[in-house]
Amino acid sequence: MAKDKDRDVCCCCIKLRLAVAIISLLYLAIAAATTYQKYVANDTGNQTAKIIIFVSGGVQVFIGFLGLLSAITKSVFITKTYTFLWWLLTLVVLGFSVANLYFIVKNDRPEIEKSCRDGFKPRDDGVISEEDVNNCYRVVVIISAVVLAVQFVIMCLFGWVNQRFLREVRQDAAIADALKAVDEVEA
């Protein structure tokens, strides 16, 4: 195996193995919190929605635990599977987020404008201008797009760390196989 000083690090000082473990723990916490929030927010009593929430949460927890297992075992197969699932998750989240943003822009304008009107304090003349409402709507859409972009960048950054860890695990496995082959030849 390579010496520790030859290893890649994340954020200038964290070994990739520890970084993957931290990413996985962070992701498990976020998945648990968002699943709970979605479950509580689903006050319609719709059973199909509850099933989707729990299946989605289960998949997210599986990916998080797979990342932890990858960091613990340094198995090529587990790390490869975890990295693939992370990139797949990143693309799925991006797709759903873009679709959600599209539907916000296309279908939710009246509700957003109503919320803007309800949230504004009237001017001195007691009137809320349409320009203020339009600006409020525009700000909501821009903030949604910025949040989407930041989320995607963070997930890509974590995917990049996972990919670098996979490279490290593959190198360690190749070195171990080579040493084993040398030992078998000498014996």
Side-chain angles (χ1 to χ4, degrees), residues 7-8 10 40 49 67 73-74 77 82 93 101 106 111 117 119 125 134 144 165 176 184:
R7 293 291 187 187
D8 283 336
C10 174
V40 169
T73 64
K74 288 189 81 170
F77 176 74
Y82 166 64
V93 167
L101 185 61
K106 185 173 172 33
E111 290 85 12
R117 279 188 194 88
D125 59 0
N134 286 334
S144 298
F165 181 64
E184 288 175 357

Side-chain angles (χ1 to χ4, degrees), residues 149-169:
V150 168
Q151 175 187 18
F152 183 66
V153 166
I154 290 171
M155 289 191 76
C156 285
L157 176 66
F158 287 170
W160 176 65
V161 170
N162 294 334
Q163 199 71 39
R164 289 175 54 205
F165 181 64
L166 174 61
R167 184 183 70 208
E168 181 179 295
V169 169

Side-chain angles (χ1 to χ4, degrees), residues 99-159:
N100 190 34
L101 185 61
Y102 171 77
F103 288 120
I104 285 173
V105 170
K106 185 173 172 33
N107 299 336
D108 293 343
R109 185 176 184 128
E111 290 85 12
I112 294 171
E113 287 178 344
K114 181 183 180 307
S115 295
C116 288
R117 279 188 194 88
D118 294 345
F120 273 128
K121 293 181 181 176
R123 296 183 184 170
D124 293 336
D125 59 0
V127 176
I128 299 172
S129 74
E130 281 303 309
E131 181 182 346
D132 289 339
V133 173
N134 286 334
N135 287 339
C136 174
Y137 171 76
R138 192 172 311 123
V139 167
V140 168
V141 171
I142 290 170
I143 289 173
S144 298
V146 168
V147 167
L148 165 66
V150 168
Q151 175 187 18
F152 183 66
V153 166
I154 290 171
M155 289 191 76
C156 285
L157 176 66
F158 287 170

Side-chain angles (χ1 to χ4, degrees), residues 14-75:
I14 301 172
K15 293 180 182 176
L16 290 176
R17 187 177 196 172
L18 179 60
V20 169
I22 291 169
I23 289 168
S24 298
L25 286 172
L26 183 64
Y27 186 69
L28 280 169
I30 290 170
T34 57
T35 300
Y36 176 75
Q37 182 270 331
K38 290 173 189 172
Y39 180 77
V40 169
N42 180 29
D43 57 1
T44 63
N46 185 340
Q47 284 302 108
T48 305
K50 287 181 182 179
I51 291 170
I52 291 171
I53 289 167
F54 283 120
V55 168
S56 169
V59 168
Q60 291 174 330
V61 167
F62 174 74
I63 292 172
F65 277 124
L66 202 59
L68 279 178
L69 191 60
S70 169
I72 292 168
T73 64
K74 288 189 81 170
S75 161

